[in-house]
Amino acid sequence: MDTKVLFYEKKEERNRCGVCPHNCLIDEGKFGVCKVRTVKDGELIAINYGEVSSSGVDPIEKKPLYHYKPSKNILSIGSFGCNMTCSFCQNYEISQNRPSTQFVSAEDLIRIIPTIENNVGVAFTYNEPMMWYEYMCDASKKIKEDNEDTSVVVVSNGYINEEPLRKLLPYVDAMNIDLKGYTNKYYNKVCGANLNPVLETIRRCNDHCHVEITTLLVSDENDSLEEAKEIAQFIASVNENIPLHLSRYFPRYKMENEATKIERITEAQNEAKKYLKHVYIGNVGGVDNNTYCSKCGALLINRNGYSTKVHISEGRCNECKEKINIII
Ligand code: SF4
């Protein structure tokens, strides 16, 4: 359903949307880059309020979140629209097109969440949740008012302006943010966006909620050791405890490069580990994605596919009692 956009500026006959760094200037009947915000009768509106295109119950490790409520499930929902145009998008059917949807109110969500086994809350994911901003913000606030212990998770590309982000963050427990590369050239060419606003979002979110980062390593585009080093150094400058997930690219949508070589990903992991305490590999079977104590090396979390066993007591390593930055 339609709803008023919360952040905008009137410019005579036109409206400038203030939700994300594109800051689109939109004429009557036209849409912004995200294809969900338009001007109707002179007013800027979003057309996807409460409209759910996809839902499922996933292990939280699938988001991926490895250091937040390990071994739990999370109700995952998405709508449509995205403010990036990544050539390799895994979800282009809902990010770049308008799929069929079902309206789910915030009250519906509040009723459904506790009925799901081993479920910690809700994750806004699949398409770009910041493009579902008006609904996500309302629903998150109501979910937290109903039960502070219900987790709100956001899986995002991090391309959001400061003011809307700050309004949302009090209701968010954890985020996985894509850092798609470390050059503006890559962000411009492959994703239709800019790097700096994403770096700003990562800094801002780290001050307010649990953060993990995902980078899809695309062969011959962003899979150099130098770029892995820059990504890891940036994250370490924010917080060396932030887990980094280096994910393997496979050809998809408009991107035809070969699948990334596994050796490139393990080399990038080794490089990133020089700066970060926890670096994991995604989309590759048979790799060691366990979590070990960064002080004594003891096993903290054993992961076998999406089967997860946790060996932490009272937030500390069972062996050396080092305080562990994992939210149980
Ligand atoms: S949210 Fe959509 S309409 Fe608004 S600035 Fe971003 S891309 Fe443009």
Side-chain angles (χ1 to χ4, degrees):
M1 86 184 209
D2 293 352
T3 191
K4 285 184 189 175
V5 172
L6 301 173
F7 296 91
Y8 69 98
E9 198 186 336
K10 268 262 187 238
K11 290 261 175 189
E12 294 166 3
E13 293 301 292
R14 310 172 89 190
N15 284 267
R16 187 179 291 286
C17 176
V19 175
C20 89
H22 286 302
N23 295 311
C24 300
L25 194 53
I26 308 174
D27 288 319
E28 181 76 26
K30 303 287 186 199
F31 281 79
V33 172
C34 60
K35 301 188 188 79
V36 301
R37 290 182 181 77
T38 184
V39 179
K40 257 192 199 170
D41 301 326
E43 191 165 64
L44 188 62
I45 56 152
I47 61 170
N48 61 355
Y49 189 93
E51 301 294 341
V52 174
S53 72
S54 321
S55 64
V57 178
D58 293 331
I60 202 158
E61 285 76 15
K62 206 172 167 181
K63 297 302 95 192
L65 287 176
Y66 275 18
H67 289 206
Y68 184 81
K69 310 267 177 177
S71 81
K72 302 292 185 189
N73 290 327
I74 191 149
L75 171 64
S76 302
I77 57 171
S79 185
F80 60 90
C82 187
N83 52 353
M84 291 195 188
T85 49
C86 304
S87 314
F88 49 72
C89 184
Q90 306 287 308
N91 291 326
Y92 66 90
E93 295 95 340
I94 60 170
S95 69
Q96 305 300 324
N97 299 310
R98 186 168 179 180
S100 59
T101 54
Q102 189 182 354
F103 183 80
V104 177
S105 68
E107 290 70 25
D108 291 336
L109 274 183
I110 289 167
R111 207 175 52 249
I112 296 165
I113 289 166
T115 66
I116 300 167
E117 199 179 334
N118 198 31
N119 184 43
V120 290
V122 65
F124 296 96
T125 176
Y126 301 140
N127 69 311
E128 171 48 49
M130 297 303 183
M131 296 303 97
W132 208 16
Y133 179 84
E134 296 76 12
Y135 175 72
M136 180 171 63
C137 217
D138 277 1
S140 302
K141 183 168 185 280
K142 287 180 181 173
I143 287 166
K144 284 297 186 188
E145 282 167 358
D146 175 72
N147 184 350
E148 179 61 30
D149 294 337
T150 302
S151 295
V152 172
V153 165
V154 179
V155 181
S156 173
N157 63 23
Y159 211 56
I160 175 96
N161 282 338
E162 180 174 3
E163 204 184 345
L165 178 65
R166 290 203 186 280
K167 183 175 161 70
L168 173 72
L169 279 173
Y171 315 115
V172 175
D173 297 282
M175 288 182 76
N176 187 296
I177 304 170
D178 283 342
L179 180 52
K180 292 174 189 278
Y182 206 70
T183 65
N184 223 14
K185 187 175 163 213
Y186 181 80
Y187 262 91
N188 290 173
K189 178 182 132 190
V190 177
C191 309
N194 292 308
L195 169 63
N196 266 330
V198 179
L199 302 182
E200 283 303 317
T201 294
I202 291 169
R203 289 191 188 99
R204 288 170 187 140
C205 292
N206 178 65
D207 293 338
H208 287 89
C209 67
H210 176 80
V211 172
E212 304 196 15
I213 306 286
T214 297
T215 301
L216 184 75
L217 293 180
V218 180
S219 46
D220 304 328
E221 295 285 353
N222 68 346
D223 63 341
S224 70
L225 272 191
E226 186 56 29
E227 197 148 350
K229 179 180 172 181
E230 287 173 337
I231 287 169
Q233 284 179 327
F234 164 74
I235 297 170
S237 75
V238 178
N239 178 352
E240 65 178 358
N241 285 308
I242 292 178
L244 170 63
H245 301 262
L246 297 172
S247 205
R248 188 185 186 200
Y249 149 88
F250 290 94
R252 181 88 169 137
Y253 192 36
K254 295 176 181 169
M255 179 74 88
E256 293 175 345
N257 298 19
E258 281 181 10
T260 312
K261 291 190 174 59
I262 293 174
E263 308 84 71
R264 298 291 282 182
I265 299 170
T266 50
E267 285 166 12
Q269 180 188 35
N270 290 334
E271 184 65 21
K273 275 183 170 175
K274 292 177 186 169
Y275 308 95
L276 296 169
K277 288 190 176 170
H278 301 283
V279 183
Y280 302 102
I281 290 181
N283 283 349
V284 179
V287 291
D288 181 350
N289 263 342
N290 295 332
T291 300
Y292 299 95
C293 175
S294 59
K295 187 172 177 200
C296 75
L299 180 66
L300 300 177
I301 302 178
N302 180 258
R303 297 186 187 86
N304 191 355
Y306 290 120
S307 157
T308 304
K309 288 205 175 73
V310 181
H311 309 278
I312 300 170
S313 305
E314 293 169 0
R316 293 185 181 272
C317 169
N318 283 345
E319 298 295 325
C320 72
K321 309 301 174 202
E322 172 81 349
K323 195 166 184 310
I324 303 298
N325 183 33
I326 297 176
I327 299 166
I328 303 292

